[in-house]
Amino acid sequence: NAGVTQTPKFRILKIGQSMTLQCTQDMNHNYMYWYRQDPGMGLKLIYYSVGAGITDKGEVPNGYNVSRSTTEDFPLRLELAAPSQTSVYFCASSTAGRRNTEAFFGQGTRLTVV
Amino acid sequence: DAKTTQPPSMDCAEGRAANLPCNHSTISGNEYVYWYRQIHSQGPQYIIHGLKNNETNEMASLIITEDRKSSTLILPHATLRDTAVYYCIVRPTNSGYALNFGKGTSLLVTP
């Protein structure tokens, strides 16, 4: 059981470039999330989705876009990368409709913008 | 959203119990207390959660005070592999059940 898989694991971008961080889960979870974690800090929510076709902003959505065309996949798009987006990005998923379930996290994508 | 307060760091000797405190004085009646940990900047890992009763699983115990304003995560026999950042989170009632992470407690288990 793969759980939540993120690709790539590492990436270096130049300022102004764009990229898509991939996230896929094989647990049939309806809820999916994207977080970022800056050095020495906790995770901050970027975007989340409660099901295919439904997405909403979290705490720090500026500079990012998401889409959710299938239950399994929740890609995060960075347009016009900036140094402030240097961070570790985590994708997570959890079961739909139950408020008390655990969230499963991927291993992260370490992004550096230079 | 209810906020949590945790000490920034703690030490524990291997084999002893690690008791990690958390204050959540503004918690609402229908909000749960969750604990996650993060090892070596890996993805966070769920540990345990509770509403008002004490909870125990194979990883840890969670003790919640009667007024629900604070809780303690107990690792009964800490090992070196328990060295991690531990996050106490009160789950918000909106935002798609997302988790709001603070800075957590950095637990160092020493030989």
Side-chain angles (χ1 to χ4, degrees):
Chain A
N1 190 349
V4 179
T5 303
Q6 293 183 235
T7 57
K9 288 186 171 54
F10 303 91
R11 182 71 184 268
I12 298 175
L13 277 183
K14 294 184 178 180
I15 295 172
Q17 287 185 321
S18 301
M19 76 165 293
T20 298
L21 282 67
Q22 301 292 343
C23 175
T24 187
Q25 51 94 6
D26 61 0
M27 296 172 284
N28 201 33
H29 287 168
N30 274 18
Y31 288 83
M32 296 189 73
Y33 315 87
W34 274 105
Y35 292 86
R36 60 175 286 174
Q37 184 174 34
D38 299 332
M41 305 296 288
L43 282 72
K44 294 188 176 182
L45 183 66
I46 305 172
Y47 270 96
Y48 67 97
S49 169
V50 301
I54 306 170
T55 63
D56 207 347
K57 298 178 180 178
E59 183 182 0
V60 290
N62 292 342
Y64 307 94
N65 280 298
V66 294
S67 60
R68 185 91 182 275
S69 57
T70 67
T71 298
E72 295 77 20
D73 300 309
F74 190 39
L76 178 71
R77 178 78 176 167
L78 278 71
E79 304 282 0
L80 299 175
S84 61
Q85 293 177 304
T86 293
S87 191
V88 181
Y89 292 83
F90 290 102
C91 179
S93 72
S94 64
T95 306
R98 293 177 59 193
R99 294 172 174 261
N100 311 324
T101 57
E102 62 182 286
F104 294 83
F105 285 79
Q107 289 304 298
T109 294
R110 285 153 179 79
L111 175 67
T112 302
V113 181
V114 296
Chain B
D1 294 348
K3 303 299 183 185
T4 62
T5 303
Q6 300 177 251
S9 63
M10 294 182 64
D11 293 344
C12 178
E14 187 177 21
R16 304 297 295 271
N19 297 284
L20 290 84
C22 179
N23 287 320
H24 30 78
S25 59
T26 60
I27 190 170
S28 299
N30 62 348
E31 290 182 311
Y32 285 71
V33 180
Y34 281 78
W35 284 84
Y36 280 75
R37 73 180 182 183
Q38 189 174 24
I39 299 173
H40 297 308
S41 296
Q42 297 175 15
Q45 175 190 23
Y46 167 84
I47 301 172
I48 198 168
H49 74 275
L51 181 62
K52 53 185 177 181
N53 297 323
N54 297 338
E55 302 288 345
T56 296
N57 63 19
E58 64 279 4
M59 291 182 66
S61 295
L62 173 61
I63 308 299
I64 302 174
T65 58
E66 189 170 348
D67 62 9
R68 302 210 325 124
K69 292 185 177 181
S70 65
S71 60
T72 301
L73 178 75
I74 301 173
L75 308 178
H77 305 286
T79 71
L80 299 179
R81 289 176 294 179
D82 291 323
T83 292
V85 177
Y86 287 77
Y87 296 98
C88 170
I89 301 165
V90 175
R91 188 191 55 77
T93 56
N94 54 12
S95 296
Y97 311 159
L99 300 163
N100 288 331
F101 289 82
K103 292 186 178 181
T105 296
S106 178
L107 175 68
L108 176 64
V109 180
T110 57

